[in-house]
Structures are given as structure tokens and as C-alpha cells.
């Protein structure tokens, strides 16, 4: 997304290589729970946007309760195992260590991560449209003000603007972003002439972030060692017949 918008704006992105671990963007192949959430967000977003800016745990007291629950999940394996099983079923059978994530230092009573309502709505829009595209502001006039076009920018149609090597990595056990959806990125990039590679590991979704497995670390480091000197601006790839576009900013 960043490289494409910078290329459209004709500004340098200063990246030499992309290594994308279980990247989002296409979500057509997902389980029933995500489909239900998609429809709920799209239906209730006008109301939710007036009530809450994000999904988060409010107040120090409630964050303390969640933190206490997370510790109990670790101290009482039977309870933790039950919660782990329930979470796995909710996300379609993904075997990630969902309970272990709650024990990370940034989940504490003083501060805790949240999810923007617009981010959740954006994911729902992507899933509904079946396209990897920018956020839809809800009307042609609003989209024109931001993107210069009545419809949000379709990033998949502009993969040809990517001028650096891309390494896509998928998890065979990942049920949040399935390997079929990562392969869709790969096919579109390949068709657009991008220097792209594809690799699968027997990982679940959170394994890419929290497992620190030597196999994955070795692969990432080996790809980083392939980074060469930056191309000169005159050598950057341009699509033949590609019209110059601008992504407007508010």
C-alpha cells in the first residue's frame, strides 16, 4: 500500500525489499465468524462511529481485570486450555497461542492496545468487495476529495508500480489469513511483472509474530542479505502507458 501510493504521488519510498508475513489484503476465503462480523460492521458502522472511536478496554479498572484473567489463564492450565480452544474455534481452527499473547507486557492495567473502528470497517469493506483497495469514505464526493476518483484506489490493479523485490510468506495452519489469499497476492504481482517469491511455513497466524522460530528468522535474514544498492531514479520501473495519478490528502 505504501509503495503504490508513493509511486502514484511520484515521491521516493526509500525501500529496497518487502518481506510480507501473512499479509492482509484479500479475505474472500475466510470462516463464518468473519463473514458475520463483516456484515455486522457494515450494518452498524454508522451508529458505532457516533458512539465509539475504537475497540479497546476502557479505564484502568477493567484493564486490571483483563490482566488478572490473563494471569489466571497461565496459572490454571485447564482454564487456559479451554479459552485457547474456544478462541481457536472462533477464528476457524487457527492454532495460534491466543492465551499466550494476553501475557505480553503491553497488555497491562496502565495501557493496552486497541483497534480503530475505521480499521475494522476497512477490513469489512475489503472482504465485501473482494478487492484489495483503499478505505471507502462512503460517497463519490468524499472519495474524490481524498483519492481524486469516485471509487477507492484498487491497490491490486496497481501492483505493477511495485519496483522492489517482494517476498510473500504464508502459513499452512493460518486460518485468519489463509494461504490461498496470500497466493492471490502472488498471482496478481506475478501477472503485473513484480519480482515476487512465495514461501509457506507450517505456522498459524500469530506464529509469524510471537513464535521467534529459528526457521523463519533464518529465512527472513537470508532474504534481507539479497538487498542490493538502490536504483537511480532514472532506472525506476514505469508502466507503459500508465497515466500519472495523484492521491490527494485532506
Amino acid at each position: 500500500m505504501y509503495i503504490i501510493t508513493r509511486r502514484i504521488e511520484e515521491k521516493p519510498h526509500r525501500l529496497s525489499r518487502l518481506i510480507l508475513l501473512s499479509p492482509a489484503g484479500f479475505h474472500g476465503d475466510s470462516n463464518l465468524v468473519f463473514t458475520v462480523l463483516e456484515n455486522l460492521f457494515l450494518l452498524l458502522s454508522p451508529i458505532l462511529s457516533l458512539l465509539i472511536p475504537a475497540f479497546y478496554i476502557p479505564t484502568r479498572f477493567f484493564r486490571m481485570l483483563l490482566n488478572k484473567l490473563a494471569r489466571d489463564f497461565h496459572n490454571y492450565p485447564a482454564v487456559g486450555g479451554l479459552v485457547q480452544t474456544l478462541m481457536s474455534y472462533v477464528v476457524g481452527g487457527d492454532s495460534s497461542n491466543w492465551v499466550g499473547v494476553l501475557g505480553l507486557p503491553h497488555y497491562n492495567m496502565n495501557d493496552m492496545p486497541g483497534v480503530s473502528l475505521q480499521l475494522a470497517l476497512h477490513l469489512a469493506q475489503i472482504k465485501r468487495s473482494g478487492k484489495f483497495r483503499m478505505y471507502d469514505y462512503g460517497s463519490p464526493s468524499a472519495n474524490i476529495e481524498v483519492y481524486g476518483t469516485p471509487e477507492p484506489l484498487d491497490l491490486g490493479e496497481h501492483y505493477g508500480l511495485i519496483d522492489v523485490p517482494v517476498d510473500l510468506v504464508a502459513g499452512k495452519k493460518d486460518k485468519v489469513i489463509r494461504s490461498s489469499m496470500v497466493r492471490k497476492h502472488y498471482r496478481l504481482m506475478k501477472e503485473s511483472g513484480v519480482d515476487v517469491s512465495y514461501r509457506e511455513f507450517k505456522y498459524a497466524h500469530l506464529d509469524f509474530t510471537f513464535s521467534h522460530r529459528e526457521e523463519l528468522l533464518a529465512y527472513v535474514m537470508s532474504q534481507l542479505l539479497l538487498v542490493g544498492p538502490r536504483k537511480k531514479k532514472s532506472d525506476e520501473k514505469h508502466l507503459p502507458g500508465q497515466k500519472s495519478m495523484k492521491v490527494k490528502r485532506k
Side-chain angles (χ1 to χ4, degrees):
M1 184 181 292
Y2 170 74
I3 286 183
I4 292 172
T5 55
R6 296 293 286 186
R7 290 295 310 280
I8 290 175
E9 293 171 342
E10 298 180 354
K11 295 179 180 179
H13 53 70
R14 298 185 175 87
L15 296 177
S16 299
R17 194 177 194 94
L18 288 179
I19 303 175
L20 305 178
L21 307 179
S22 191
F26 295 107
H27 303 279
D29 183 9
S30 59
N31 63 58
L32 178 62
V33 173
F34 290 140
T35 301
V36 171
L37 289 175
E38 166 209 336
N39 290 295
L40 281 176
F41 280 133
L42 293 174
L43 179 65
L44 300 177
S45 60
I47 300 173
L48 291 175
S49 61
L50 300 175
L51 301 176
I52 55 174
F55 300 101
Y56 63 100
I57 307 297
T59 76
R60 179 184 173 90
F61 174 75
F62 288 109
R63 289 193 292 268
M64 179 187 67
L65 287 181
L66 182 62
N67 190 253
K68 177 65 169 60
L69 282 174
R71 290 200 303 270
D72 288 343
F73 294 156
H74 287 276
N75 295 332
Y76 300 98
V79 178
L82 176 61
V83 173
Q84 173 69 30
T85 301
L86 292 174
M87 281 298 301
S88 295
Y89 276 115
V90 167
V91 294
D94 189 276
S95 59
S96 298
N97 186 7
W98 301 100
V99 172
V101 169
L102 293 176
L104 294 175
H106 54 279
Y107 285 90
N108 59 73
M109 65 185 70
N110 297 314
D111 194 14
M112 195 169 287
V115 177
S116 166
L117 179 65
Q118 276 67 38
L119 174 60
L121 179 57
H122 187 199
L123 290 174
Q125 291 174 353
I126 289 175
K127 190 176 184 309
R128 171 65 61 87
S129 67
K131 299 178 180 179
F132 182 25
R133 63 181 193 172
M134 302 287 275
Y135 182 81
D136 188 346
Y137 285 87
S139 68
S141 59
N143 288 328
I144 288 174
E145 184 179 354
V146 179
Y147 307 118
T149 58
E151 292 291 326
L153 182 69
D154 189 331
L155 297 165
E157 291 183 353
H158 292 83
Y159 274 167
L161 293 175
I162 299 175
D163 58 349
V164 297
V166 180
D167 301 302
L168 297 172
V169 182
K172 293 182 179 180
K173 299 180 180 179
D174 192 337
K175 304 301 181 183
V176 178
I177 300 176
R178 299 177 188 265
S179 58
S180 60
M181 296 292 93
V182 182
R183 286 196 297 271
K184 187 171 183 178
H185 284 289
Y186 175 76
R187 287 195 300 270
L188 288 175
M189 288 184 184
K190 203 72 174 175
E191 291 170 1
S192 300
V194 179
D195 181 6
V196 60
S197 69
Y198 177 79
R199 181 79 178 268
E200 284 187 0
F201 291 91
K202 292 182 179 179
Y203 291 175
H205 188 65
L206 295 182
D207 291 340
F208 289 107
T209 307
F210 300 111
S211 67
H212 305 299
R213 297 185 183 181
E214 186 175 344
E215 179 187 23
L216 179 62
L217 294 174
Y219 171 75
V220 171
M221 292 306 298
S222 68
Q223 298 307 104
L224 289 176
L225 290 174
L226 298 176
V227 173
R230 287 283 299 154
K231 293 181 180 180
K232 295 180 180 179
K233 188 173 181 180
S234 59
D235 296 333
E236 289 184 349
K237 179 175 63 176
H238 294 277
L239 291 180
Q242 177 73 44
K243 294 182 179 180
S244 177
M245 296 177 289
K246 300 289 184 182
V247 176
K248 298 182 179 179
R249 302 295 183 191
K250 287 187 175 181

